[in-house]
């Protein structure tokens, strides 16, 4: 019997363009493949579990003869390519109407209301890279106290501030006020606090980012597992993505490495249920910044710690690695890319070498997890479980 599932999202590690990627401007996107074009990945542990055996992954360059895990790739049924859409589909909700985006910036009527609410002015209000906009507008922000507002191809309202000018708690309060405004005609998927510091003349974003998402419109796998009286332990930004719904315990993380450490700490605790982790650095530090070599090194750093995760697990645990969208570091711009995601399952009770092929929805992951953890009593309303294919 499986008592616990550890689900770790390698944020943005896409497996190649989806058939409809061209509609999103993402023709030929391939996060893993294009990283490998630039950097010779040394990832023996991920390879041994079957990463390179996933259908068409990196053109077969990372294949092994006898993979130890079950593996496959998953297509996205939802409309979109953002964080919430991907995570919600994994957890059992399709997004049929995409979250509203603001390629021309947010309406001035909204921005006027925002300024009145927070008692400060604003700068920016256009799509931008977060690291670039704080360099471009940082000095003016630091002189005036006006906050920096920007967006992207995703449905996000991001507020950046130097925490020596706008204290962190005030920045969070500003984002909560923005969240309350971004409803109805101004609907927006997420508000994100983006604090930074000025250090040796450089503007450096801190790990105190905080996301303010909308709540899922219906129960997800998190709620179903919680309703069975089991633990849902959220590591990293998972609680923010689901607005706390279905979460019984959550911990903040400072980096991928910290996320792995806190996941291992959770594994060593005695409870049944789900550990759900997001490792955001792949996306925020390397995908969005179009840094293929840095992305490759981050994958290697995760690979080095993968044995620690496996060693902490017991025979009644299984590990699922997946992603939530792509973010091809060789693609134009700085936004997510519409791609297949990876799926790898490992553990003492998993049939090694099982090829799950190409699945039609991310939701198959949530359906499988709820099937396993509730003994089939409470399975997500969408997705097809592959429980019988992977368990010994």
């Amino acid at each position: 019997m499986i008592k616990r599932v550890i689900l770790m999202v390698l944020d943005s590690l896409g497996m190649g363009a989806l058939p409809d990627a061209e509609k999103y401007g993402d023709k030929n996107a391939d996060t893993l493949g294009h990283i490998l074009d630039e950097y010779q990945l040394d990832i023996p542990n991920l390879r041994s579990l079957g990463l390179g055996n996933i259908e068409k992954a990196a053109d077969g360059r990372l294949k092994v003869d006898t993979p130890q895990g079950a593996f496959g790739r998953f297509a996205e049924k939802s409309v979109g390519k953002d964080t919430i859409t991907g995570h919600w589909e994994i957890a059992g909700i399709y997004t049929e109407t995409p979250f509203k985006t603001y390629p021309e910036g947010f309406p001035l009527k909204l921005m006027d209301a925002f300024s009145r609410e927070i008692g400060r002015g604003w700068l920016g209000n256009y799509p931008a890279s977060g690291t670039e906009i704080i360099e471009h507008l940082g000095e003016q922000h630091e002189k005036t106290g006006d906050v920096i507002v920007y967006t992207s191809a995703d449905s996000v309202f991001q507020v950046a501030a130097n925490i020596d000018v706008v204290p962190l708690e005030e920045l969070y309060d500003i984002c909560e006020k923005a969240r309350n405004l971004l409803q109805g005609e101004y609907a927006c998927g997420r508000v994100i606090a983006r604090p930074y510091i000025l250090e040796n003349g450089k503007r450096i974003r801190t790990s105190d980012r905080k996301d303010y998402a909308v709540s899922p419109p219906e129960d997800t796998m998190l709620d179903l597992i919680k309703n069975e009286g089991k633990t849902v332990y959220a590591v990293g930004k998972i609680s923010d993505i689901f607005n706390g719904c279905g979460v019984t315990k959550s911990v903040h993380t400072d980096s991928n490495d910290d996320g792995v450490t806190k996941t291992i700490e959770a594994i060593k605790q005695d409870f049944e249920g789900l550990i759900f982790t997001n490792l955001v650095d792949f996306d925020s530090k390397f995908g969005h910044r179009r840094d293929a070599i840095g992305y490759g090194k981050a994958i290697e750093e995760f690979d080095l710690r993968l044995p620690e995760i496996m060693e902490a697990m017991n025979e009644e645990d299984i590990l699922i690695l997946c992603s939530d969208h792509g973010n091809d570091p060789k693609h134009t711009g700085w936004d997510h890319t519409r791609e297949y995601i990876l799926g790898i399952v490992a553990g003492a009770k998993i049939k090694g070498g099982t090829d799950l092929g190409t699945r039609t929805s991310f939701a198959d992951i949530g359906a499988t997890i709820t099937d396993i953890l509730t003994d089939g009593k409470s399975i997500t309303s969408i997705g097809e479980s592959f429980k019988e294919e992977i368990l010994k």
Side-chain angles (χ1 to χ4, degrees):
M1 178 181 175
I2 303 299
K3 293 186 177 179
R4 196 163 53 177
V5 175
I6 301 105
L7 175 61
M8 301 188 74
V9 180
L10 311 188
D11 198 313
S12 85
L13 187 53
M15 294 286 112
L18 283 164
D20 64 355
E22 190 169 6
K23 296 178 183 177
Y24 293 79
D26 298 331
K27 184 179 180 181
N28 299 322
D30 184 358
T31 300
L32 179 62
H34 288 154
I35 290 168
L36 197 57
D37 288 345
E38 298 292 316
Y39 183 78
Q40 189 60 47
L41 286 167
D42 181 14
I43 48 172
N45 300 305
L46 283 166
R47 290 184 68 190
S48 72
L49 291 180
L51 176 66
N53 294 70
I54 293 170
E55 187 175 345
K56 297 184 178 179
D59 301 320
R61 288 173 284 172
L62 297 171
K63 271 188 177 181
V64 295
D65 292 334
T66 54
Q68 301 302 302
F71 52 88
R73 66 177 184 169
F74 298 75
E76 187 165 20
K77 274 193 175 181
S78 296
V79 180
K81 55 178 180 177
D82 60 82
T83 297
I84 291 181
T85 300
H87 281 76
W88 282 11
E89 183 166 328
I90 289 166
I93 293 178
Y94 291 140
T95 301
E96 296 178 353
T97 301
F99 291 106
K100 191 173 181 180
T101 58
Y102 296 86
E104 306 301 323
F106 295 89
L108 290 180
K109 184 177 178 181
L110 169 71
M111 296 307 297
D112 287 343
F114 172 68
S115 187
R116 287 195 300 272
E117 281 289 312
I118 69 171
R120 290 180 180 268
W122 54 267
L123 304 168
N125 188 29
Y126 51 78
S129 158
T131 53
E132 290 178 5
I133 200 167
I134 61 174
E135 286 303 324
H136 182 61
L137 297 176
E139 185 176 357
Q140 187 178 355
H141 154 66
E142 289 148 15
K143 286 180 178 177
T144 64
D146 296 343
V147 296
I148 300 169
V149 175
Y150 63 104
T151 186
S152 73
D154 293 339
S155 183
V156 290
F157 183 100
Q158 305 195 72
V159 186
N162 182 326
I163 56 175
D164 289 326
V165 176
V166 179
L168 187 61
E169 290 306 316
E170 182 183 351
L171 177 59
Y172 290 162
D173 181 63
I174 286 169
C175 289
E176 288 175 5
K177 288 173 178 173
R179 176 71 278 171
N180 290 334
L181 289 171
L182 289 159
Q183 311 285 344
E185 64 176 312
Y186 303 129
C188 186
R190 279 183 299 161
V191 175
I192 306 177
R194 291 288 197 174
Y196 75 88
I197 57 173
L198 189 60
E199 187 172 273
N200 298 321
K202 292 185 178 180
R203 292 177 177 86
I204 302 169
R205 296 202 295 191
T206 76
S207 62
D208 294 313
R209 160 187 171 154
K210 191 170 183 180
D211 294 40
Y212 299 81
V214 292
S215 295
E218 59 190 83
D219 283 355
T220 69
M221 72 172 177
L222 287 71
D223 300 286
L224 298 179
I225 294 165
K226 179 182 177 181
N227 292 344
E228 288 289 312
K230 299 186 177 184
T231 296
V232 177
Y233 195 119
V235 180
K237 66 177 186 176
I238 295 298
S239 185
D240 292 340
I241 292 168
F242 291 89
N243 205 24
C245 298
V247 174
T248 61
K249 183 173 182 178
S250 66
V251 291
H252 172 75
T253 60
D254 296 330
S255 62
N256 276 1
D257 194 55
D258 187 41
V260 172
T261 296
K262 286 176 176 169
T263 300
I264 292 169
E265 290 171 355
I267 294 170
K268 290 179 178 179
Q269 297 178 33
D270 183 19
F271 63 85
E272 295 183 21
L274 175 68
I275 300 170
F276 194 175
T277 299
N278 176 283
L279 301 180
V280 72
D281 287 359
F282 298 117
D283 185 53
S284 64
K285 291 187 176 179
F286 307 109
H288 284 301
R289 299 184 191 182
R290 296 301 187 247
D291 181 358
I293 292 173
Y295 204 138
K297 289 179 179 178
I299 297 171
E300 289 181 334
E301 289 166 4
F302 174 75
D303 188 81
L304 284 171
R305 300 207 64 189
L306 190 50
E308 289 181 65
I309 298 168
M310 302 290 290
E311 287 164 13
M313 293 164 54
N314 60 47
E315 289 195 355
E316 295 172 325
D317 291 338
I318 64 171
L319 171 68
I320 301 178
L321 305 177
C322 71
S323 38
D324 57 337
H325 49 70
N327 202 344
D328 185 345
K330 300 301 293 180
H331 200 58
T332 56
W334 52 76
D335 292 311
H336 298 155
T337 43
R338 175 89 170 171
E339 298 185 49
Y340 291 100
I341 64 167
L342 69 96
I344 295 174
V345 192
K349 296 188 177 180
I350 298 301
K351 297 175 187 173
T354 301
D355 186 351
L356 297 167
T358 296
R359 312 285 297 194
T360 60
S361 173
F362 296 2
D364 290 5
I365 296 170
T368 302
I369 292 171
T370 50
D371 190 7
I372 289 170
L373 291 179
T374 71
D375 294 323
K377 291 183 291 185
S378 230
I379 304 176
T380 52
S381 60
I382 60 170
E384 294 185 10
S385 173
F386 49 85
K387 170 184 173 181
E388 299 304 322
E389 296 175 56
I390 60 172
L391 293 184
K392 292 178 180 177

